[in-house]
Amino acid sequence: MKKREIDKQTQAAERVQNSMKHAPNAAAKIGIDLGTANLLVYVDGEGIVFNEPSVIAFDYYTGEVLAVGNNAQKMIGRNHKGIKIVSPLQQGVISDMEAAKKLIELAIRKAENTDINLEKSTCLICCPSEVTQIERDSMVELAKKLGVPDVFIEEEVKAGGIGAGLDIYGSNGSMVIDMGGGTTDIGVLSLGDIVVSESIRIAGNYFDNEIINYVQYNHGLLIGKNTAKRIKEVIGTLRAQLPEDRTAFANGRDVLSGLPRRIELKQSEIRDVLKPLFVQIANTVLKALQGTPAELSADIIENGITLNGGCAKIDGADEFFNKQLGLDIKIAPNPLTAIVEGTRILLKNRGNYYVKPID
Ligand code: ADP
Ligand code: MG
């Protein structure tokens, strides 16, 4: 990105910030899905106001924000030493509090309704089910730092189940597998809450790294993170039978000569990289199933399992889990936005588990 463009963006962000200082009026209900890969912000009455990668770029020397979201993501692997690029979450947990705060602040300010008064607002932040109390507290601390006094925390699996259209408030149990960027979280939901949960640190970023390793060792080519992510999204598959072995190009740097080179990767190669990782996820799901009370197991046989999170979009993920687990698998209609859509209902009910969602 050109320096001028960066300047323009920063100036625009500052203008919004300044206008906020002069028009702080409305209280808002804000739902935040701060994922390892993507940040989504929902504002009641406005809808989803931000849906971009959880990435922020700073000027290394002045600490000034240069870009957030998509623009910051594009800089990964392309930056010089004057730019520091931060993903404030690692494996579902905040690793850089200041960067997380700045990112959310700028995301909220992208809302059309710029006169949100954070001091009067309610904020729901979603967190992984398996995080410790300290990690949960850091989410509350984050909202407090933003100036929101009224904060509550809900589990992502729960919000995601609601957002995917499951009736989690009934006595009929359901299982959700959320495959995101940093972790895969598994939860059995009944009567509005999580009964059993498991988590494994194998998800999108791990898949990307394994693709990078595979390409390095088998094709002698170093590829970047964004390239690996694109390859996974475009030709990644888990189907046992491929109607045609499609290919995609990957550009990178030759390991030996150090020069730029392009190769063509086959779907079947990427499948062979992904498959053992998905077997490990399936084993974690089995562990969760083994810890599930009998009545709820019976419900899961009836209702099947819902796949959520961005990696639910990997071609053939449903077929793979169906074969491994022998249960019906449904892909959520909106795997990338389900959690933040669920916050809409949770903000209304405020964790009142037995209240049916009202539209
Ligand atoms: P998080 O909740 O951790 O932020 P998300 O649920 O937003 O993660 O999912 C992000 C992951 O989903 C990334 O690894 C991304 O590459 C992957 N993803 C997104 N869209 C697709 C797609 N169409 N096919 C395969 N993977 C996808
Ligand atoms: Mg997520």
Side-chain angles (χ1 to χ4, degrees):
M1 198 183 301
K2 290 203 185 80
K3 173 91 174 77
R4 211 180 314 137
E5 262 179 66
I6 294 172
D7 283 346
K8 260 199 228 156
Q9 269 193 13
T10 319
Q11 280 162 9
E14 274 168 5
R15 266 202 306 279
V16 179
Q17 268 176 14
N18 289 335
S19 71
M20 288 280 301
K21 281 181 197 144
H22 302 298
N25 292 315
K29 285 185 177 169
I30 303 166
I32 296 175
D33 170 13
L34 178 56
T36 306
N38 293 301
L39 165 65
L40 289 89
V41 179
Y42 165 83
V43 175
D44 207 25
E46 300 266 338
I48 299 173
V49 298
F50 190 88
N51 179 2
E52 295 188 31
S54 315
V55 185
I56 180 161
F58 296 96
D59 182 308
Y60 188 83
Y61 301 103
T62 64
E64 181 189 9
V65 175
L66 300 177
V68 292
N70 287 322
N71 289 330
Q73 166 96 17
K74 281 186 213 143
M75 294 178 172
I76 294 179
R78 298 190 167 102
N79 55 317
H80 51 76
K81 62 180 185 331
I83 299 178
K84 187 173 123 199
I85 300 174
V86 181
S87 294
L89 264 79
Q90 300 295 328
Q91 290 162 343
V93 174
I94 298 176
S95 59
D96 187 329
M97 182 62 84
E98 281 309 311
K101 172 182 167 260
K102 203 83 204 156
L103 180 61
I104 293 183
E105 227 165 40
L106 292 171
I108 292 175
R109 280 169 187 167
K110 272 204 166 180
E112 290 274 302
N113 175 4
T114 45
D115 65 352
I116 291 174
N117 182 352
L118 290 175
E119 283 170 23
K120 289 188 200 160
S121 298
T122 300
C123 184
L124 161 56
I125 305 187
C126 298
C127 75
S129 342
E130 295 284 291
V131 298
T132 62
Q133 189 57 41
I134 294 169
E135 288 158 352
R136 269 172 168 256
D137 290 347
S138 75
M139 296 275 179
V140 176
E141 188 191 328
L142 173 65
K144 294 261 156 83
K145 272 185 186 255
L146 286 167
V148 184
D150 187 24
V151 192
F152 68 114
I153 306 284
E154 291 280 4
E155 279 100 354
E156 285 164 358
V157 166
K158 181 172 158 186
I162 297 171
L166 296 176
D167 177 11
I168 72 147
Y169 295 89
S171 54
N172 209 339
S174 42
M175 180 181 248
V176 176
I177 304 176
D178 177 347
M179 294 188 288
T183 56
T184 293
D185 299 306
I186 299 141
V188 176
L189 298 154
S190 173
L191 293 170
D193 220 334
I194 296 171
V195 182
V196 179
S197 68
E198 285 289 343
S199 179
I200 178 168
R201 289 179 170 193
I202 296 183
N205 293 345
Y206 198 100
F207 302 154
D208 300 347
N209 283 333
E210 289 295 296
I211 292 173
I212 291 173
N213 291 340
Y214 168 82
V215 173
Q216 180 178 347
Y217 291 114
N218 294 276
H219 293 275
L221 190 74
L222 285 169
I223 58 168
K225 284 187 181 165
N226 283 341
T227 302
K229 179 170 178 279
R230 177 179 54 81
I231 293 292
K232 172 191 69 188
E233 293 176 4
V234 175
I235 57 166
T237 184
L238 288 146
R239 285 191 199 289
Q241 303 293 330
L242 296 170
E244 50 166 334
D245 201 357
R246 287 196 293 115
T247 60
F249 287 109
N251 300 342
R253 187 167 60 107
D254 189 276
V255 173
L256 292 178
S257 71
L259 296 175
R261 184 156 68 89
R262 158 180 286 198
I263 55 161
E264 203 172 359
L265 289 166
K266 290 197 212 121
Q267 262 195 309
S268 51
E269 290 176 88
I270 303 304
R271 177 189 55 197
D272 295 345
V273 175
L274 294 178
K275 208 172 147 192
L277 311 177
F278 268 71
V279 168
Q280 292 190 58
I281 295 176
N283 288 338
T284 311
V285 178
L286 288 172
K287 205 167 134 199
L289 286 167
Q290 282 161 353
T292 300
E295 287 297 351
L296 293 177
S297 300
D299 292 345
I300 294 168
I301 292 178
E302 285 299 314
N303 303 335
I305 297 176
T306 302
L307 292 189
N308 223 346
C311 290
K313 292 178 89 107
I314 296 179
D315 178 59
D318 46 351
E319 177 193 298
F320 176 85
F321 283 116
N322 173 265
K323 274 205 192 128
Q324 292 279 319
L325 307 170
L327 292 163
D328 275 353
I329 310 288
K330 297 182 205 93
I331 297 173
N334 48 352
L336 281 158
T337 55
I339 293 178
V340 85
E341 285 176 44
T343 64
R344 185 175 63 88
I345 288 161
L346 285 166
L347 277 163
K348 267 187 200 150
N349 285 354
R350 182 96 209 221
N352 191 352
Y353 304 150
Y354 300 101
V355 181
K356 274 252 174 201
I358 316 153
D359 270 343

Short mmCIF file of all heavy atoms in Angstrom, two decimals, residues 208-260:
data_model
loop_
_atom_site.label_atom_id
_atom_site.label_comp_id
_atom_site.label_asym_id
_atom_site.label_seq_id
_atom_site.Cartn_x
_atom_site.Cartn_y
_atom_site.Cartn_z
N ASP A 208 -2.98 -23.98 7.17
CA ASP A 208 -2.15 -23.15 6.29
C ASP A 208 -0.66 -23.48 6.51
O ASP A 208 0.09 -23.63 5.54
CB ASP A 208 -2.37 -21.65 6.57
CG ASP A 208 -3.82 -21.23 6.34
OD1 ASP A 208 -4.57 -22.01 5.73
OD2 ASP A 208 -4.19 -20.11 6.75
N ASN A 209 -0.26 -23.59 7.78
CA ASN A 209 1.15 -23.90 8.06
C ASN A 209 1.56 -25.26 7.51
O ASN A 209 2.67 -25.42 7.00
CB ASN A 209 1.42 -23.88 9.57
CG ASN A 209 1.51 -22.46 10.08
OD1 ASN A 209 1.87 -21.55 9.32
ND2 ASN A 209 1.16 -22.24 11.33
N GLU A 210 0.66 -26.23 7.61
CA GLU A 210 0.99 -27.56 7.08
C GLU A 210 1.09 -27.53 5.56
O GLU A 210 1.89 -28.25 4.97
CB GLU A 210 -0.07 -28.58 7.52
CG GLU A 210 0.01 -28.91 9.01
CD GLU A 210 1.31 -29.62 9.41
OE1 GLU A 210 1.53 -30.75 8.94
OE2 GLU A 210 2.11 -29.02 10.17
N ILE A 211 0.29 -26.68 4.93
CA ILE A 211 0.39 -26.53 3.46
C ILE A 211 1.74 -25.89 3.12
O ILE A 211 2.44 -26.33 2.20
CB ILE A 211 -0.80 -25.69 2.89
CG1 ILE A 211 -2.10 -26.49 3.05
CG2 ILE A 211 -0.57 -25.31 1.43
CD1 ILE A 211 -3.37 -25.74 2.68
N ILE A 212 2.15 -24.89 3.90
CA ILE A 212 3.45 -24.23 3.68
C ILE A 212 4.58 -25.28 3.79
O ILE A 212 5.45 -25.38 2.92
CB ILE A 212 3.68 -23.08 4.70
CG1 ILE A 212 2.72 -21.93 4.40
CG2 ILE A 212 5.14 -22.60 4.66
CD1 ILE A 212 2.71 -20.81 5.43
N ASN A 213 4.52 -26.11 4.84
CA ASN A 213 5.55 -27.14 5.04
C ASN A 213 5.56 -28.14 3.90
O ASN A 213 6.61 -28.52 3.38
CB ASN A 213 5.32 -27.90 6.35
CG ASN A 213 5.58 -27.01 7.55
OD1 ASN A 213 6.26 -26.00 7.43
ND2 ASN A 213 5.03 -27.37 8.69
N TYR A 214 4.36 -28.56 3.50
CA TYR A 214 4.26 -29.55 2.42
C TYR A 214 4.90 -29.01 1.15
O TYR A 214 5.70 -29.70 0.49
CB TYR A 214 2.78 -29.90 2.18
CG TYR A 214 2.58 -30.69 0.91
CD1 TYR A 214 2.79 -32.07 0.88
CD2 TYR A 214 2.26 -30.05 -0.29
CE1 TYR A 214 2.67 -32.79 -0.29
CE2 TYR A 214 2.14 -30.75 -1.47
CZ TYR A 214 2.35 -32.12 -1.47
OH TYR A 214 2.24 -32.83 -2.64
N VAL A 215 4.56 -27.76 0.80
CA VAL A 215 5.05 -27.18 -0.46
C VAL A 215 6.57 -26.99 -0.38
O VAL A 215 7.29 -27.23 -1.35
CB VAL A 215 4.32 -25.84 -0.77
CG1 VAL A 215 4.94 -25.15 -1.97
CG2 VAL A 215 2.84 -26.10 -1.01
N GLN A 216 7.06 -26.64 0.80
CA GLN A 216 8.51 -26.47 0.96
C GLN A 216 9.25 -27.80 0.75
O GLN A 216 10.23 -27.86 0.02
CB GLN A 216 8.81 -25.89 2.34
CG GLN A 216 10.30 -25.68 2.55
CD GLN A 216 10.63 -25.06 3.90
OE1 GLN A 216 9.75 -24.55 4.59
NE2 GLN A 216 11.89 -25.09 4.26
N TYR A 217 8.76 -28.84 1.40
CA TYR A 217 9.50 -30.12 1.36
C TYR A 217 9.26 -30.91 0.08
O TYR A 217 10.12 -31.66 -0.34
CB TYR A 217 9.19 -30.95 2.60
CG TYR A 217 9.80 -30.29 3.82
CD1 TYR A 217 8.99 -29.76 4.83
CD2 TYR A 217 11.18 -30.13 3.92
CE1 TYR A 217 9.56 -29.11 5.92
CE2 TYR A 217 11.75 -29.47 5.00
CZ TYR A 217 10.93 -28.97 6.00
OH TYR A 217 11.50 -28.32 7.05
N ASN A 218 8.09 -30.75 -0.54
CA ASN A 218 7.79 -31.56 -1.72
C ASN A 218 7.98 -30.83 -3.04
O ASN A 218 8.10 -31.46 -4.08
CB ASN A 218 6.38 -32.11 -1.63
CG ASN A 218 6.26 -33.09 -0.49
OD1 ASN A 218 6.59 -34.26 -0.63
ND2 ASN A 218 5.87 -32.59 0.67
N HIS A 219 7.96 -29.50 -3.00
CA HIS A 219 8.13 -28.74 -4.25
C HIS A 219 9.31 -27.79 -4.16
O HIS A 219 9.56 -27.04 -5.10
CB HIS A 219 6.85 -27.96 -4.58
CG HIS A 219 5.68 -28.84 -4.91
ND1 HIS A 219 5.46 -29.32 -6.18
CD2 HIS A 219 4.69 -29.34 -4.14
CE1 HIS A 219 4.36 -30.07 -6.17
NE2 HIS A 219 3.88 -30.10 -4.94
N GLY A 220 10.00 -27.75 -3.02
CA GLY A 220 11.17 -26.88 -2.88
C GLY A 220 10.82 -25.41 -3.02
O GLY A 220 11.63 -24.62 -3.52
N LEU A 221 9.62 -25.04 -2.60
CA LEU A 221 9.18 -23.66 -2.77
C LEU A 221 8.68 -23.10 -1.45
O LEU A 221 7.90 -23.75 -0.75
CB LEU A 221 8.04 -23.61 -3.80
CG LEU A 221 7.62 -22.23 -4.28
CD1 LEU A 221 8.66 -21.64 -5.22
CD2 LEU A 221 6.27 -22.29 -4.98
N LEU A 222 9.14 -21.89 -1.11
CA LEU A 222 8.63 -21.22 0.10
C LEU A 222 7.45 -20.35 -0.30
O LEU A 222 7.60 -19.49 -1.17
CB LEU A 222 9.72 -20.33 0.69
CG LEU A 222 10.86 -21.02 1.42
CD1 LEU A 222 11.97 -20.03 1.71
CD2 LEU A 222 10.34 -21.64 2.72
N ILE A 223 6.29 -20.62 0.29
CA ILE A 223 5.13 -19.75 -0.01
C ILE A 223 4.73 -19.01 1.26
O ILE A 223 5.02 -19.45 2.37
CB ILE A 223 3.93 -20.54 -0.60
CG1 ILE A 223 3.46 -21.65 0.34
CG2 ILE A 223 4.25 -21.08 -1.99
CD1 ILE A 223 2.12 -22.26 -0.05
N GLY A 224 4.04 -17.91 1.08
CA GLY A 224 3.62 -17.08 2.23
C GLY A 224 2.30 -17.57 2.82
O GLY A 224 1.62 -18.43 2.25
N LYS A 225 1.95 -16.99 3.97
CA LYS A 225 0.73 -17.41 4.68
C LYS A 225 -0.53 -17.12 3.87
O LYS A 225 -1.45 -17.93 3.83
CB LYS A 225 0.63 -16.66 6.02
CG LYS A 225 1.57 -17.21 7.04
CD LYS A 225 1.36 -16.59 8.40
CE LYS A 225 2.35 -17.17 9.37
NZ LYS A 225 2.50 -16.46 10.59
N ASN A 226 -0.56 -15.95 3.24
CA ASN A 226 -1.76 -15.60 2.47
C ASN A 226 -1.94 -16.53 1.28
O ASN A 226 -3.06 -16.90 0.93
CB ASN A 226 -1.71 -14.14 2.00
CG ASN A 226 -2.02 -13.16 3.12
OD1 ASN A 226 -2.61 -13.54 4.14
ND2 ASN A 226 -1.62 -11.91 2.95
N THR A 227 -0.80 -16.94 0.68
CA THR A 227 -0.89 -17.87 -0.46
C THR A 227 -1.42 -19.22 0.01
O THR A 227 -2.32 -19.80 -0.62
CB THR A 227 0.51 -18.03 -1.12
OG1 THR A 227 0.95 -16.75 -1.53
CG2 THR A 227 0.47 -18.97 -2.31
N ALA A 228 -0.91 -19.71 1.13
CA ALA A 228 -1.35 -21.01 1.65
C ALA A 228 -2.85 -20.97 1.99
O ALA A 228 -3.59 -21.91 1.68
CB ALA A 228 -0.55 -21.37 2.89
N LYS A 229 -3.29 -19.85 2.56
CA LYS A 229 -4.70 -19.70 2.93
C LYS A 229 -5.57 -19.75 1.66
O LYS A 229 -6.61 -20.41 1.62
CB LYS A 229 -4.85 -18.36 3.66
CG LYS A 229 -6.25 -18.01 4.09
CD LYS A 229 -6.19 -16.79 5.01
CE LYS A 229 -7.54 -16.33 5.48
NZ LYS A 229 -8.27 -15.52 4.52
N ARG A 230 -5.09 -19.05 0.62
CA ARG A 230 -5.87 -19.03 -0.63
C ARG A 230 -5.94 -20.43 -1.23
O ARG A 230 -7.01 -20.87 -1.67
CB ARG A 230 -5.22 -18.04 -1.62
CG ARG A 230 -5.92 -18.00 -2.98
CD ARG A 230 -5.29 -17.00 -3.92
NE ARG A 230 -3.86 -17.20 -4.11
CZ ARG A 230 -3.32 -18.09 -4.93
NH1 ARG A 230 -4.10 -18.88 -5.67
NH2 ARG A 230 -2.01 -18.22 -5.03
N ILE A 231 -4.82 -21.14 -1.22
CA ILE A 231 -4.80 -22.51 -1.78
C ILE A 231 -5.82 -23.38 -1.04
O ILE A 231 -6.61 -24.10 -1.66
CB ILE A 231 -3.37 -23.12 -1.66
CG1 ILE A 231 -2.39 -22.38 -2.56
CG2 ILE A 231 -3.37 -24.62 -1.94
CD1 ILE A 231 -2.62 -22.56 -4.06
N LYS A 232 -5.81 -23.28 0.29
CA LYS A 232 -6.76 -24.06 1.10
C LYS A 232 -8.20 -23.72 0.72
O LYS A 232 -9.03 -24.60 0.56
CB LYS A 232 -6.51 -23.75 2.59
CG LYS A 232 -7.53 -24.33 3.55
CD LYS A 232 -7.36 -23.74 4.94
CE LYS A 232 -7.75 -22.27 4.97
NZ LYS A 232 -7.44 -21.61 6.24
N GLU A 233 -8.47 -22.43 0.58
CA GLU A 233 -9.85 -22.00 0.31
C GLU A 233 -10.28 -22.36 -1.11
O GLU A 233 -11.44 -22.69 -1.35
CB GLU A 233 -10.00 -20.49 0.56
CG GLU A 233 -9.86 -20.14 2.05
CD GLU A 233 -9.90 -18.65 2.34
OE1 GLU A 233 -10.13 -17.85 1.41
OE2 GLU A 233 -9.68 -18.28 3.52
N VAL A 234 -9.34 -22.32 -2.05
CA VAL A 234 -9.72 -22.54 -3.45
C VAL A 234 -9.76 -24.02 -3.82
O VAL A 234 -10.71 -24.48 -4.45
CB VAL A 234 -8.78 -21.75 -4.40
CG1 VAL A 234 -9.08 -22.05 -5.85
CG2 VAL A 234 -8.89 -20.26 -4.15
N ILE A 235 -8.74 -24.79 -3.42
CA ILE A 235 -8.74 -26.21 -3.84
C ILE A 235 -8.73 -27.19 -2.66
O ILE A 235 -8.71 -28.39 -2.88
CB ILE A 235 -7.58 -26.55 -4.81
CG1 ILE A 235 -6.22 -26.20 -4.19
CG2 ILE A 235 -7.77 -25.87 -6.16
CD1 ILE A 235 -5.05 -26.82 -4.95
N GLY A 236 -8.76 -26.68 -1.44
CA GLY A 236 -8.79 -27.58 -0.28
C GLY A 236 -10.01 -28.47 -0.34
O GLY A 236 -11.10 -28.01 -0.67
N THR A 237 -9.86 -29.75 -0.03
CA THR A 237 -10.99 -30.67 -0.07
C THR A 237 -10.72 -31.85 0.85
O THR A 237 -9.57 -32.10 1.22
CB THR A 237 -11.25 -31.19 -1.51
OG1 THR A 237 -12.41 -32.01 -1.50
CG2 THR A 237 -10.08 -31.98 -2.05
N LEU A 238 -11.79 -32.56 1.21
CA LEU A 238 -11.64 -33.79 1.98
C LEU A 238 -12.40 -34.92 1.32
O LEU A 238 -12.59 -35.98 1.90
CB LEU A 238 -12.15 -33.57 3.41
CG LEU A 238 -11.16 -32.70 4.17
CD1 LEU A 238 -11.83 -31.81 5.14
CD2 LEU A 238 -10.12 -33.57 4.85
N ARG A 239 -12.84 -34.69 0.11
CA ARG A 239 -13.61 -35.73 -0.58
C ARG A 239 -12.73 -36.92 -0.93
O ARG A 239 -11.63 -36.76 -1.44
CB ARG A 239 -14.19 -35.18 -1.89
CG ARG A 239 -15.35 -34.28 -1.62
CD ARG A 239 -16.13 -33.92 -2.85
NE ARG A 239 -16.89 -32.73 -2.52
CZ ARG A 239 -17.93 -32.71 -1.71
NH1 ARG A 239 -18.38 -33.83 -1.16
NH2 ARG A 239 -18.54 -31.59 -1.43
N ALA A 240 -13.29 -38.13 -0.68
CA ALA A 240 -12.55 -39.35 -1.02
C ALA A 240 -12.43 -39.46 -2.53
O ALA A 240 -11.37 -39.80 -3.06
CB ALA A 240 -13.26 -40.55 -0.42
N GLN A 241 -13.52 -39.18 -3.25
CA GLN A 241 -13.52 -39.26 -4.71
C GLN A 241 -13.58 -37.85 -5.28
O GLN A 241 -14.51 -37.10 -4.95
CB GLN A 241 -14.76 -40.01 -5.21
CG GLN A 241 -14.93 -41.42 -4.67
CD GLN A 241 -13.83 -42.34 -5.17
OE1 GLN A 241 -13.31 -42.15 -6.27
NE2 GLN A 241 -13.45 -43.31 -4.35
N LEU A 242 -12.61 -37.53 -6.12
CA LEU A 242 -12.64 -36.20 -6.74
C LEU A 242 -13.07 -36.36 -8.20
O LEU A 242 -12.41 -37.08 -8.95
CB LEU A 242 -11.25 -35.56 -6.68
CG LEU A 242 -10.72 -35.26 -5.27
CD1 LEU A 242 -9.26 -34.87 -5.31
CD2 LEU A 242 -11.55 -34.15 -4.64
N PRO A 243 -14.16 -35.70 -8.58
CA PRO A 243 -14.63 -35.83 -9.96
C PRO A 243 -13.53 -35.41 -10.95
O PRO A 243 -13.33 -36.05 -11.98
CB PRO A 243 -15.82 -34.87 -10.04
CG PRO A 243 -16.00 -34.27 -8.68
CD PRO A 243 -14.95 -34.80 -7.76
N GLU A 244 -12.80 -34.36 -10.62
CA GLU A 244 -11.61 -34.00 -11.40
C GLU A 244 -10.60 -33.44 -10.40
O GLU A 244 -10.99 -32.79 -9.42
CB GLU A 244 -11.93 -32.95 -12.48
CG GLU A 244 -12.69 -31.76 -11.95
CD GLU A 244 -12.72 -30.58 -12.92
OE1 GLU A 244 -11.81 -30.44 -13.75
OE2 GLU A 244 -13.66 -29.80 -12.79
N ASP A 245 -9.32 -33.71 -10.65
CA ASP A 245 -8.31 -33.25 -9.71
C ASP A 245 -7.91 -31.82 -10.09
O ASP A 245 -6.94 -31.60 -10.83
CB ASP A 245 -7.10 -34.21 -9.77
CG ASP A 245 -6.26 -34.12 -8.50
OD1 ASP A 245 -6.58 -33.29 -7.63
OD2 ASP A 245 -5.27 -34.88 -8.40
N ARG A 246 -8.70 -30.85 -9.62
CA ARG A 246 -8.46 -29.46 -10.01
C ARG A 246 -7.12 -28.97 -9.48
O ARG A 246 -6.57 -29.52 -8.53
CB ARG A 246 -9.58 -28.56 -9.45
CG ARG A 246 -10.90 -28.72 -10.19
CD ARG A 246 -11.85 -27.57 -9.88
NE ARG A 246 -12.30 -27.55 -8.50
CZ ARG A 246 -12.00 -26.58 -7.64
NH1 ARG A 246 -11.25 -25.55 -8.01
NH2 ARG A 246 -12.45 -26.63 -6.40
N THR A 247 -6.62 -27.90 -10.07
CA THR A 247 -5.32 -27.37 -9.64
C THR A 247 -5.42 -25.87 -9.39
O THR A 247 -6.37 -25.21 -9.79
CB THR A 247 -4.23 -27.60 -10.71
OG1 THR A 247 -4.64 -26.93 -11.91
CG2 THR A 247 -4.00 -29.06 -11.00
N ALA A 248 -4.40 -25.35 -8.68
CA ALA A 248 -4.29 -23.91 -8.48
C ALA A 248 -2.81 -23.55 -8.49
O ALA A 248 -1.96 -24.37 -8.10
CB ALA A 248 -4.93 -23.50 -7.17
N PHE A 249 -2.51 -22.35 -8.93
CA PHE A 249 -1.12 -21.90 -8.96
C PHE A 249 -0.71 -21.31 -7.62
O PHE A 249 -1.52 -20.68 -6.94
CB PHE A 249 -0.91 -20.84 -10.04
CG PHE A 249 -0.94 -21.41 -11.44
CD1 PHE A 249 -2.00 -21.15 -12.29
CD2 PHE A 249 0.10 -22.22 -11.88
CE1 PHE A 249 -2.04 -21.68 -13.56
CE2 PHE A 249 0.08 -22.76 -13.16
CZ PHE A 249 -1.00 -22.50 -14.01
N ALA A 250 0.55 -21.56 -7.27
CA ALA A 250 1.10 -20.91 -6.07
C ALA A 250 2.45 -20.31 -6.45
O ALA A 250 3.29 -20.98 -7.05
CB ALA A 250 1.28 -21.92 -4.96
N ASN A 251 2.62 -19.03 -6.11
CA ASN A 251 3.90 -18.37 -6.37
C ASN A 251 4.69 -18.27 -5.08
O ASN A 251 4.10 -18.10 -4.02
CB ASN A 251 3.68 -16.95 -6.89
CG ASN A 251 2.89 -16.92 -8.18
OD1 ASN A 251 2.79 -17.94 -8.87
ND2 ASN A 251 2.34 -15.78 -8.50
N GLY A 252 6.00 -18.36 -5.20
CA GLY A 252 6.83 -18.24 -4.00
C GLY A 252 8.29 -18.09 -4.37
O GLY A 252 8.62 -17.68 -5.49
N ARG A 253 9.15 -18.45 -3.41
CA ARG A 253 10.59 -18.30 -3.61
C ARG A 253 11.23 -19.68 -3.58
O ARG A 253 11.01 -20.45 -2.63
CB ARG A 253 11.16 -17.43 -2.50
CG ARG A 253 12.61 -17.06 -2.70
CD ARG A 253 12.97 -15.95 -1.75
NE ARG A 253 12.77 -16.39 -0.38
CZ ARG A 253 13.76 -16.67 0.47
NH1 ARG A 253 15.00 -16.53 0.11
NH2 ARG A 253 13.50 -17.07 1.69
N ASP A 254 11.99 -19.99 -4.62
CA ASP A 254 12.64 -21.30 -4.70
C ASP A 254 13.62 -21.47 -3.52
O ASP A 254 14.43 -20.57 -3.25
CB ASP A 254 13.40 -21.41 -6.03
CG ASP A 254 13.91 -22.81 -6.25
OD1 ASP A 254 15.01 -23.14 -5.73
OD2 ASP A 254 13.20 -23.60 -6.91
N VAL A 255 13.54 -22.63 -2.86
CA VAL A 255 14.36 -22.86 -1.68
C VAL A 255 15.85 -22.81 -2.03
O VAL A 255 16.65 -22.26 -1.28
CB VAL A 255 14.01 -24.23 -1.04
CG1 VAL A 255 14.96 -24.57 0.08
CG2 VAL A 255 12.58 -24.24 -0.54
N LEU A 256 16.22 -23.38 -3.18
CA LEU A 256 17.64 -23.46 -3.54
C LEU A 256 18.16 -22.20 -4.22
O LEU A 256 19.12 -21.60 -3.78
CB LEU A 256 17.88 -24.67 -4.43
CG LEU A 256 17.70 -26.02 -3.74
CD1 LEU A 256 17.93 -27.16 -4.72
CD2 LEU A 256 18.63 -26.14 -2.54
N SER A 257 17.47 -21.79 -5.30
CA SER A 257 18.01 -20.65 -6.06
C SER A 257 17.66 -19.31 -5.42
O SER A 257 18.29 -18.29 -5.72
CB SER A 257 17.47 -20.68 -7.49
OG SER A 257 16.09 -20.34 -7.48
N GLY A 258 16.64 -19.31 -4.57
CA GLY A 258 16.21 -18.05 -3.96
C GLY A 258 15.44 -17.16 -4.91
O GLY A 258 15.10 -16.02 -4.58
N LEU A 259 15.12 -17.68 -6.09
CA LEU A 259 14.43 -16.86 -7.09
C LEU A 259 12.93 -17.13 -7.10
O LEU A 259 12.49 -18.21 -6.68
CB LEU A 259 15.02 -17.15 -8.48
CG LEU A 259 16.50 -16.78 -8.63
CD1 LEU A 259 17.02 -17.22 -9.99
CD2 LEU A 259 16.68 -15.27 -8.43
N PRO A 260 12.15 -16.19 -7.60
CA PRO A 260 10.69 -16.42 -7.67
C PRO A 260 10.36 -17.58 -8.61
O PRO A 260 11.01 -17.75 -9.64
CB PRO A 260 10.16 -15.11 -8.26
CG PRO A 260 11.23 -14.11 -8.10
CD PRO A 260 12.52 -14.86 -8.11
#
